[in-house]
mmCIF file of all heavy atoms in Angstrom:
data_model
loop_
_atom_site.group_PDB
_atom_site.id
_atom_site.type_symbol
_atom_site.label_atom_id
_atom_site.label_comp_id
_atom_site.label_asym_id
_atom_site.label_seq_id
_atom_site.Cartn_x
_atom_site.Cartn_y
_atom_site.Cartn_z
ATOM 1 N N ALA A 364 -105.282 -15.237 -118.843
ATOM 2 C CA ALA A 364 -105.459 -16.102 -120.010
ATOM 3 C C ALA A 364 -106.939 -16.378 -120.254
ATOM 4 O O ALA A 364 -107.743 -16.381 -119.315
ATOM 5 C CB ALA A 364 -104.704 -17.411 -119.799
ATOM 6 N N PRO A 365 -107.334 -16.631 -121.510
ATOM 7 C CA PRO A 365 -108.749 -16.864 -121.834
ATOM 8 C C PRO A 365 -109.205 -18.263 -121.427
ATOM 9 O O PRO A 365 -109.180 -19.209 -122.221
ATOM 10 C CB PRO A 365 -108.812 -16.661 -123.351
ATOM 11 C CG PRO A 365 -107.424 -16.974 -123.826
ATOM 12 C CD PRO A 365 -106.498 -16.557 -122.726
ATOM 13 N N CYS A 366 -109.632 -18.384 -120.151
ATOM 14 C CA CYS A 366 -109.987 -19.688 -119.576
ATOM 15 C C CYS A 366 -111.489 -19.858 -119.365
ATOM 16 O O CYS A 366 -111.912 -20.892 -118.833
ATOM 17 C CB CYS A 366 -109.302 -19.868 -118.225
ATOM 18 S SG CYS A 366 -107.524 -19.668 -118.243
ATOM 19 N N LEU A 367 -112.295 -18.857 -119.711
ATOM 20 C CA LEU A 367 -113.724 -18.906 -119.418
ATOM 21 C C LEU A 367 -114.476 -19.702 -120.484
ATOM 22 O O LEU A 367 -113.980 -19.921 -121.592
ATOM 23 C CB LEU A 367 -114.288 -17.485 -119.345
ATOM 24 C CG LEU A 367 -113.594 -16.521 -118.378
ATOM 25 C CD1 LEU A 367 -114.208 -15.134 -118.514
ATOM 26 C CD2 LEU A 367 -113.692 -17.019 -116.953
ATOM 27 N N LEU A 368 -115.701 -20.084 -120.152
ATOM 28 C CA LEU A 368 -116.526 -20.792 -121.133
ATOM 29 C C LEU A 368 -116.744 -19.947 -122.385
ATOM 30 O O LEU A 368 -116.749 -20.467 -123.500
ATOM 31 C CB LEU A 368 -117.875 -21.165 -120.506
ATOM 32 C CG LEU A 368 -117.860 -22.332 -119.503
ATOM 33 C CD1 LEU A 368 -119.217 -22.440 -118.815
ATOM 34 C CD2 LEU A 368 -117.497 -23.647 -120.184
ATOM 35 N N ILE A 369 -116.915 -18.625 -122.200
ATOM 36 C CA ILE A 369 -117.195 -17.763 -123.357
ATOM 37 C C ILE A 369 -115.950 -17.485 -124.186
ATOM 38 O O ILE A 369 -116.044 -16.881 -125.257
ATOM 39 C CB ILE A 369 -117.845 -16.434 -122.929
ATOM 40 C CG1 ILE A 369 -116.867 -15.614 -122.059
ATOM 41 C CG2 ILE A 369 -119.157 -16.640 -122.230
ATOM 42 C CD1 ILE A 369 -117.319 -14.187 -121.830
ATOM 43 N N THR A 370 -114.776 -17.908 -123.709
ATOM 44 C CA THR A 370 -113.545 -17.635 -124.463
ATOM 45 C C THR A 370 -112.904 -18.918 -124.986
ATOM 46 O O THR A 370 -111.705 -18.957 -125.245
ATOM 47 C CB THR A 370 -112.524 -16.874 -123.587
ATOM 48 O OG1 THR A 370 -112.212 -17.654 -122.421
ATOM 49 C CG2 THR A 370 -113.074 -15.526 -123.176
ATOM 50 N N GLN A 371 -113.704 -19.964 -125.167
ATOM 51 C CA GLN A 371 -113.134 -21.243 -125.586
ATOM 52 C C GLN A 371 -112.489 -21.191 -126.963
ATOM 53 O O GLN A 371 -111.613 -22.006 -127.258
ATOM 54 C CB GLN A 371 -114.219 -22.335 -125.561
ATOM 55 C CG GLN A 371 -114.638 -22.712 -124.144
ATOM 56 C CD GLN A 371 -115.597 -23.886 -124.136
ATOM 57 O OE1 GLN A 371 -115.191 -25.044 -124.155
ATOM 58 N NE2 GLN A 371 -116.894 -23.593 -124.099
ATOM 59 N N ARG A 372 -112.894 -20.221 -127.801
ATOM 60 C CA ARG A 372 -112.322 -20.109 -129.144
ATOM 61 C C ARG A 372 -111.385 -18.907 -129.287
ATOM 62 O O ARG A 372 -110.909 -18.628 -130.387
ATOM 63 C CB ARG A 372 -113.439 -20.037 -130.196
ATOM 64 C CG ARG A 372 -114.264 -21.312 -130.252
ATOM 65 C CD ARG A 372 -115.276 -21.304 -131.378
ATOM 66 N NE ARG A 372 -115.997 -22.563 -131.440
ATOM 67 C CZ ARG A 372 -115.556 -23.675 -132.036
ATOM 68 N NH1 ARG A 372 -114.385 -23.664 -132.652
ATOM 69 N NH2 ARG A 372 -116.272 -24.776 -132.038
ATOM 70 N N VAL A 373 -111.133 -18.199 -128.199
ATOM 71 C CA VAL A 373 -110.219 -17.054 -128.234
ATOM 72 C C VAL A 373 -108.777 -17.563 -128.174
ATOM 73 O O VAL A 373 -108.434 -18.384 -127.318
ATOM 74 C CB VAL A 373 -110.506 -16.092 -127.065
ATOM 75 C CG1 VAL A 373 -109.444 -15.001 -126.992
ATOM 76 C CG2 VAL A 373 -111.895 -15.482 -127.216
ATOM 77 N N TRP A 374 -107.928 -17.073 -129.084
ATOM 78 C CA TRP A 374 -106.519 -17.487 -129.137
ATOM 79 C C TRP A 374 -106.392 -18.998 -129.272
ATOM 80 O O TRP A 374 -105.616 -19.644 -128.578
ATOM 81 C CB TRP A 374 -105.764 -17.027 -127.902
ATOM 82 C CG TRP A 374 -105.326 -15.598 -127.925
ATOM 83 C CD1 TRP A 374 -105.512 -14.691 -128.930
ATOM 84 C CD2 TRP A 374 -104.616 -14.911 -126.882
ATOM 85 N NE1 TRP A 374 -104.976 -13.489 -128.570
ATOM 86 C CE2 TRP A 374 -104.408 -13.594 -127.333
ATOM 87 C CE3 TRP A 374 -104.149 -15.274 -125.627
ATOM 88 C CZ2 TRP A 374 -103.742 -12.635 -126.562
ATOM 89 C CZ3 TRP A 374 -103.480 -14.340 -124.864
ATOM 90 C CH2 TRP A 374 -103.276 -13.038 -125.329
ATOM 91 N N SER A 375 -107.175 -19.613 -130.136
ATOM 92 C CA SER A 375 -107.137 -21.052 -130.414
ATOM 93 C C SER A 375 -108.103 -21.813 -129.504
ATOM 94 O O SER A 375 -108.514 -21.328 -128.449
ATOM 95 C CB SER A 375 -105.712 -21.615 -130.233
ATOM 96 O OG SER A 375 -105.697 -23.027 -130.288
ATOM 97 N N THR A 376 -108.432 -23.021 -129.934
ATOM 98 C CA THR A 376 -109.227 -23.923 -129.095
ATOM 99 C C THR A 376 -108.332 -24.842 -128.265
ATOM 100 O O THR A 376 -108.827 -25.569 -127.408
ATOM 101 C CB THR A 376 -110.153 -24.796 -129.968
ATOM 102 O OG1 THR A 376 -109.361 -25.497 -130.934
ATOM 103 C CG2 THR A 376 -111.194 -23.932 -130.679
ATOM 104 N N ASP A 377 -107.033 -24.803 -128.525
ATOM 105 C CA ASP A 377 -106.089 -25.622 -127.776
ATOM 106 C C ASP A 377 -105.656 -24.870 -126.515
ATOM 107 O O ASP A 377 -105.101 -23.765 -126.602
ATOM 108 C CB ASP A 377 -104.864 -25.944 -128.624
ATOM 109 C CG ASP A 377 -103.820 -26.717 -127.820
ATOM 110 O OD1 ASP A 377 -104.120 -27.866 -127.431
ATOM 111 O OD2 ASP A 377 -102.743 -26.147 -127.559
ATOM 112 N N PRO A 378 -105.872 -25.427 -125.332
ATOM 113 C CA PRO A 378 -105.585 -24.678 -124.101
ATOM 114 C C PRO A 378 -104.110 -24.347 -123.906
ATOM 115 O O PRO A 378 -103.775 -23.298 -123.351
ATOM 116 C CB PRO A 378 -106.104 -25.602 -122.989
ATOM 117 C CG PRO A 378 -106.201 -26.957 -123.597
ATOM 118 C CD PRO A 378 -106.500 -26.741 -125.034
ATOM 119 N N TRP A 379 -103.205 -25.224 -124.354
ATOM 120 C CA TRP A 379 -101.783 -24.919 -124.202
ATOM 121 C C TRP A 379 -101.369 -23.777 -125.114
ATOM 122 O O TRP A 379 -100.520 -22.946 -124.739
ATOM 123 C CB TRP A 379 -100.925 -26.154 -124.459
ATOM 124 C CG TRP A 379 -101.073 -27.194 -123.402
ATOM 125 C CD1 TRP A 379 -101.608 -28.449 -123.537
ATOM 126 C CD2 TRP A 379 -100.706 -27.073 -122.014
ATOM 127 N NE1 TRP A 379 -101.593 -29.106 -122.333
ATOM 128 C CE2 TRP A 379 -101.045 -28.293 -121.386
ATOM 129 C CE3 TRP A 379 -100.124 -26.059 -121.254
ATOM 130 C CZ2 TRP A 379 -100.824 -28.522 -120.031
ATOM 131 C CZ3 TRP A 379 -99.907 -26.279 -119.901
ATOM 132 C CH2 TRP A 379 -100.249 -27.494 -119.304
ATOM 133 N N THR A 380 -101.963 -23.717 -126.299
ATOM 134 C CA THR A 380 -101.686 -22.583 -127.190
ATOM 135 C C THR A 380 -102.142 -21.283 -126.558
ATOM 136 O O THR A 380 -101.462 -20.254 -126.647
ATOM 137 C CB THR A 380 -102.377 -22.797 -128.545
ATOM 138 O OG1 THR A 380 -101.886 -24.007 -129.137
ATOM 139 C CG2 THR A 380 -102.124 -21.632 -129.483
ATOM 140 N N LYS A 381 -103.293 -21.313 -125.892
ATOM 141 C CA LYS A 381 -103.770 -20.113 -125.191
ATOM 142 C C LYS A 381 -102.738 -19.642 -124.161
ATOM 143 O O LYS A 381 -102.446 -18.444 -124.045
ATOM 144 C CB LYS A 381 -105.091 -20.420 -124.474
ATOM 145 C CG LYS A 381 -106.300 -20.672 -125.359
ATOM 146 C CD LYS A 381 -107.481 -21.106 -124.474
ATOM 147 C CE LYS A 381 -108.715 -21.480 -125.273
ATOM 148 N NZ LYS A 381 -109.418 -20.300 -125.764
ATOM 149 N N LEU A 382 -102.193 -20.579 -123.387
ATOM 150 C CA LEU A 382 -101.230 -20.204 -122.354
ATOM 151 C C LEU A 382 -99.915 -19.713 -122.967
ATOM 152 O O LEU A 382 -99.291 -18.782 -122.437
ATOM 153 C CB LEU A 382 -100.968 -21.374 -121.414
ATOM 154 C CG LEU A 382 -102.150 -21.864 -120.585
ATOM 155 C CD1 LEU A 382 -101.679 -22.833 -119.506
ATOM 156 C CD2 LEU A 382 -102.898 -20.706 -119.944
ATOM 157 N N GLN A 383 -99.505 -20.316 -124.072
ATOM 158 C CA GLN A 383 -98.295 -19.841 -124.749
ATOM 159 C C GLN A 383 -98.482 -18.416 -125.261
ATOM 160 O O GLN A 383 -97.582 -17.573 -125.132
ATOM 161 C CB GLN A 383 -97.939 -20.791 -125.899
ATOM 162 C CG GLN A 383 -97.438 -22.146 -125.429
ATOM 163 C CD GLN A 383 -97.478 -23.199 -126.523
ATOM 164 O OE1 GLN A 383 -97.890 -22.935 -127.654
ATOM 165 N NE2 GLN A 383 -97.061 -24.421 -126.185
ATOM 166 N N ARG A 384 -99.652 -18.126 -125.789
ATOM 167 C CA ARG A 384 -99.913 -16.772 -126.285
ATOM 168 C C ARG A 384 -100.047 -15.791 -125.132
ATOM 169 O O ARG A 384 -99.629 -14.636 -125.248
ATOM 170 C CB ARG A 384 -101.160 -16.769 -127.172
ATOM 171 C CG ARG A 384 -100.962 -17.540 -128.461
ATOM 172 C CD ARG A 384 -102.081 -17.327 -129.450
ATOM 173 N NE ARG A 384 -102.178 -15.941 -129.887
ATOM 174 C CZ ARG A 384 -102.984 -15.524 -130.856
ATOM 175 N NH1 ARG A 384 -103.774 -16.407 -131.477
ATOM 176 N NH2 ARG A 384 -103.026 -14.262 -131.208
ATOM 177 N N ALA A 385 -100.617 -16.244 -124.020
ATOM 178 C CA ALA A 385 -100.704 -15.370 -122.841
ATOM 179 C C ALA A 385 -99.306 -15.035 -122.316
ATOM 180 O O ALA A 385 -99.025 -13.889 -121.948
ATOM 181 C CB ALA A 385 -101.546 -16.031 -121.754
ATOM 182 N N ARG A 386 -98.443 -16.039 -122.284
ATOM 183 C CA ARG A 386 -97.064 -15.787 -121.847
ATOM 184 C C ARG A 386 -96.361 -14.819 -122.794
ATOM 185 O O ARG A 386 -95.690 -13.874 -122.340
ATOM 186 C CB ARG A 386 -96.287 -17.099 -121.791
ATOM 187 C CG ARG A 386 -94.830 -16.918 -121.351
ATOM 188 C CD ARG A 386 -94.037 -18.210 -121.473
ATOM 189 N NE ARG A 386 -93.918 -18.627 -122.868
ATOM 190 C CZ ARG A 386 -93.434 -19.815 -123.246
ATOM 191 N NH1 ARG A 386 -93.071 -20.703 -122.342
ATOM 192 N NH2 ARG A 386 -93.347 -20.109 -124.521
ATOM 193 N N ALA A 387 -96.522 -15.021 -124.089
ATOM 194 C CA ALA A 387 -95.887 -14.121 -125.064
ATOM 195 C C ALA A 387 -96.413 -12.702 -124.900
ATOM 196 O O ALA A 387 -95.647 -11.729 -124.974
ATOM 197 C CB ALA A 387 -96.137 -14.634 -126.483
ATOM 198 N N ALA A 388 -97.714 -12.567 -124.674
ATOM 199 C CA ALA A 388 -98.296 -11.234 -124.470
ATOM 200 C C ALA A 388 -97.714 -10.587 -123.226
ATOM 201 O O ALA A 388 -97.336 -9.409 -123.225
ATOM 202 C CB ALA A 388 -99.812 -11.338 -124.354
ATOM 203 N N ALA A 389 -97.624 -11.353 -122.136
ATOM 204 C CA ALA A 389 -97.080 -10.809 -120.883
ATOM 205 C C ALA A 389 -95.636 -10.362 -121.082
ATOM 206 O O ALA A 389 -95.240 -9.284 -120.608
ATOM 207 C CB ALA A 389 -97.189 -11.851 -119.777
ATOM 208 N N GLU A 390 -94.847 -11.165 -121.778
ATOM 209 C CA GLU A 390 -93.446 -10.806 -121.997
ATOM 210 C C GLU A 390 -93.330 -9.539 -122.826
ATOM 211 O O GLU A 390 -92.527 -8.644 -122.510
ATOM 212 C CB GLU A 390 -92.720 -11.968 -122.678
ATOM 213 C CG GLU A 390 -92.532 -13.180 -121.755
ATOM 214 C CD GLU A 390 -92.029 -14.406 -122.496
ATOM 215 O OE1 GLU A 390 -92.149 -14.462 -123.744
ATOM 216 O OE2 GLU A 390 -91.528 -15.313 -121.823
ATOM 217 N N LYS A 391 -94.136 -9.412 -123.869
ATOM 218 C CA LYS A 391 -94.053 -8.239 -124.740
ATOM 219 C C LYS A 391 -94.593 -6.983 -124.071
ATOM 220 O O LYS A 391 -94.171 -5.867 -124.394
ATOM 221 C CB LYS A 391 -94.811 -8.511 -126.043
ATOM 222 C CG LYS A 391 -94.141 -9.547 -126.927
ATOM 223 C CD LYS A 391 -94.977 -9.861 -128.156
ATOM 224 C CE LYS A 391 -94.317 -10.946 -129.003
ATOM 225 N NZ LYS A 391 -95.153 -11.316 -130.182
#
Side-chain angles (χ1 to χ4, degrees):
C366 305
L367 306 176
L368 286 171
I369 64 168
T370 59
Q371 289 186 85
R372 296 186 177 278
V373 173
W374 280 359
S375 171
T376 56
D377 176 66
W379 291 114
T380 300
K381 291 174 184 283
L382 296 191
Q383 290 163 0
R384 293 191 63 173
R386 180 187 65 190
E390 290 170 341
K391 291 176 182 177

